[in-house]
Amino acid sequence: MSEFWLISAPGDKENLQALERMNHVTSKSNLSRNTKFAIPDFKVGTLDSLVGLSDELGKLDTFAESLIKRMAQSAVEVMEDSKGKVHENLLANGVDLTSFVTHFEWDMAKYPAKQPLMNVVDTLAKQLAQIETDLKSRTAAYSVLKTNLENLEKKSTGNLFTRTLSDIVSKEDFVLDSEYLTTLLVIVPKSSYAQWQKTYESLSDMVVPRSTKLIVEDNEAGLFTVTLFRKVTEDFKVKAKENKFIVREFYYDEKEIKREREEMTRLLSDKKQQYGPLLRWLKVNFSEAFIAWIHIKALRVFVESVLRYGLPVNFQAVLLQPQKKSATKRLREVLNSVFRHLDEVAAASLLDASVEIPGLQLSNQDYFPYVYFHIDLNLLD
């Protein structure tokens, strides 16, 4: 599973023994793989500042997770022809995400632990905000290019009633520069080919005999040319429609056809030129954003542990990786049982959801006797 539970318990003897019991039970029952999660000694500051940081970090955590998911989705959209290799490009510091999380080490150079916590949080927030700004501008430009290209490509697909005809017909298919004659393009159902050949010359006056030619066909119909005098064009269209032959409005313009082809070539070239730099940017900055996100998780564990367990700072953080989706309920029960002494009232309520405690709102989904945070690496779901 690409899911982790990050928890902490007080670091006194009783709780270290509880952690040992948890490790023993979860290992024996193959519920989770557990590793210590190293968090440096930060400057605690005041209690009021920690309460403010708790709220700020919660918002920043949500923002960071949303950002990396958007970056992962952008990688999918950019690597449209190689979607199976997206995960190979979504790395953190050159390693896969699971390895980075399970071997996490605080980056002292980028986020010095000796500076005030608010400064560390501010650095992380500014870094992520800049990445988001760059992401929007870079992906917007690529998206416009991709959309324009897709719109042109769509013109070359579909049936004969909707697709562009400029890449199908040629100059030789038309009578051009004639004062009296014109060439029309007519869509004829395959089942009506014989009827068309028998009747097209008599659908109107002044149709040039033996002037029809099949240009192309799809699964349902064929595209035929027919040459006639200009002055009977409207009459011919009406009669053709009565016989379920549809005249496609088309004017052969060599300059316009050349412009369309050149536009397609230019867009393909521009997309190819932007692909490499954008993908490299996504890889580098996804790594930076993901690393920042896990640092935010570490900060949240520290702040919440101090607020929950008090001073002096003494707690142990542990990273649990549930082994099976079906075992998560049992794993939760083990944790609540091992650490119920941290909050007897809350633990009792978790066992009996019908118990109502005045002033205390509890939910099996959002309250735990221990400090708990969730890390989900399923970023493409």
Side-chain angles (χ1 to χ4, degrees):
M1 288 178 64
S2 300
E3 175 185 352
F4 293 89
W5 297 358
L6 183 53
I7 72 168
S8 83
D12 55 41
K13 183 177 179 181
E14 179 184 6
N15 286 291
L16 290 177
Q17 290 174 345
L19 285 169
E20 287 182 13
R21 289 200 305 276
M22 178 199 73
N23 286 330
H24 176 73
V25 174
T26 56
S27 175
K28 183 178 179 180
S29 304
N30 195 32
L31 295 175
S32 64
R33 183 178 296 124
N34 311 331
T35 55
K36 286 186 178 181
F37 192 84
I39 298 176
D41 295 325
F42 295 107
K43 284 187 175 182
V44 176
T46 65
L47 184 61
D48 283 346
S49 68
L50 287 182
V51 172
L53 273 176
S54 175
D55 184 56
E56 185 70 23
L57 283 167
K59 296 175 182 176
L60 192 56
D61 187 350
T62 300
F63 172 70
E65 182 174 6
S66 169
L67 177 59
I68 63 175
K69 284 184 175 180
R70 279 180 282 154
M71 296 182 80
Q73 187 57 46
S74 293
V76 171
E77 293 169 3
V78 171
M79 299 181 65
E80 53 190 316
D81 298 326
S82 308
K83 290 183 179 179
K85 295 184 178 181
V86 170
H87 283 287
E88 298 175 16
N89 290 274
L90 299 182
L91 305 176
N93 230 9
V95 300
D96 65 87
L97 305 185
T98 296
S99 296
F100 179 84
V101 173
T102 53
H103 297 87
F104 173 76
E105 291 183 6
W106 186 270
D107 190 335
M108 293 292 185
K110 190 178 292 184
Y111 314 109
K114 295 305 179 184
Q115 64 179 330
L117 278 175
M118 183 56 77
N119 291 4
V120 179
V121 174
D122 189 51
T123 298
L124 285 160
K126 288 179 178 178
Q127 178 189 5
L128 292 171
Q130 185 59 56
I131 290 175
E132 184 193 39
T133 299
D134 292 346
L135 174 68
K136 285 180 178 179
S137 63
R138 289 172 182 268
T139 55
Y142 190 80
S143 179
V144 168
L145 177 61
K146 185 178 175 182
T147 299
N148 290 340
L149 185 57
E150 287 174 349
N151 289 338
L152 272 182
E153 289 173 340
K154 281 179 182 177
K155 289 183 178 181
S156 300
T157 59
N159 58 37
L160 291 172
F161 293 93
T162 58
R163 64 162 298 167
T164 183
L165 302 179
S166 59
D167 61 340
I168 294 176
V169 299
S170 64
K171 185 177 181 179
E172 289 70 29
D173 297 322
F174 297 85
V175 173
L176 300 173
D177 304 321
S178 170
E179 182 179 353
Y180 301 105
L181 296 175
T182 187
T183 300
L184 300 181
L185 296 176
V186 185
I187 300 173
V188 179
K190 280 190 171 180
S191 59
S192 302
Y193 280 9
Q195 181 188 354
W196 166 255
Q197 294 289 355
K198 288 179 183 178
T199 61
Y200 81 91
E201 293 178 2
S202 60
L203 289 177
S204 178
D205 295 335
M206 302 182 178
V207 175
V208 176
R210 294 185 297 280
S211 64
T212 193
K213 181 177 68 172
L214 176 63
I215 303 296
V216 70
E217 59 184 353
D218 59 19
N219 293 332
E220 300 173 357
L223 184 70
F224 287 80
T225 59
V226 60
T227 300
L228 62 161
F229 279 74
R230 291 181 182 276
K231 65 181 183 180
V232 299
T233 299
E234 294 305 318
D235 180 58
F236 183 89
K237 288 180 181 179
V238 171
K239 297 291 177 55
K241 188 175 182 180
E242 290 175 356
N243 285 271
K244 298 183 179 179
F245 307 139
I246 306 300
V247 176
R248 268 290 305 263
E249 298 295 337
F250 181 83
Y251 175 71
Y252 186 86
D253 184 335
E254 214 160 9
K255 290 181 179 179
E256 179 63 19
I257 291 173
K258 182 181 179 182
R259 189 199 65 77
E260 275 192 24
R261 289 171 180 167
E262 288 176 347
E263 178 70 0
M264 175 70 81
T265 302
R266 184 187 67 79
L267 290 173
L268 285 170
S269 177
D270 288 351
K271 184 182 177 185
K272 186 176 181 180
Q273 288 178 1
Q274 288 191 28
Y275 173 86
L278 178 56
L279 182 58
R280 285 193 294 274
W281 184 91
L282 283 169
K283 289 166 66 174
V284 169
N285 287 274
F286 174 88
S287 175
E288 291 296 309
F290 184 86
I291 291 169
W293 184 44
I294 303 305
H295 278 74
I296 291 168
K297 292 290 188 185
L299 282 170
R300 293 194 75 187
V301 171
F302 179 85
V303 170
E304 296 304 325
S305 296
V306 174
L307 289 174
R308 180 80 69 91
Y309 307 136
L311 296 171
V313 177
N314 184 21
F315 67 89
Q316 176 62 60
V318 179
L319 187 72
L320 293 82
Q321 184 179 15
Q323 293 301 288
K324 292 180 291 186
K325 191 74 174 177
S326 58
T328 54
K329 182 179 179 181
R330 173 59 183 154
L331 179 58
R332 181 74 67 212
E333 291 171 350
V334 169
L335 292 174
N336 288 336
S337 174
V338 170
F339 294 110
R340 64 177 297 161
H341 63 279
L342 295 176
D343 192 337
E344 290 287 354
V345 175
S349 73
L350 290 173
L351 298 176
D352 185 358
S354 65
V355 175
E356 294 186 4
I357 307 170
L360 184 62
Q361 295 183 345
L362 299 171
S363 165
N364 286 323
Q365 300 300 317
D366 57 22
Y367 185 86
F368 314 96
Y370 43 90
V371 170
Y372 164 86
F373 293 104
H374 184 252
I375 301 174
D376 187 356
L377 303 188
N378 294 305
L379 303 177
L380 298 177
D381 291 351

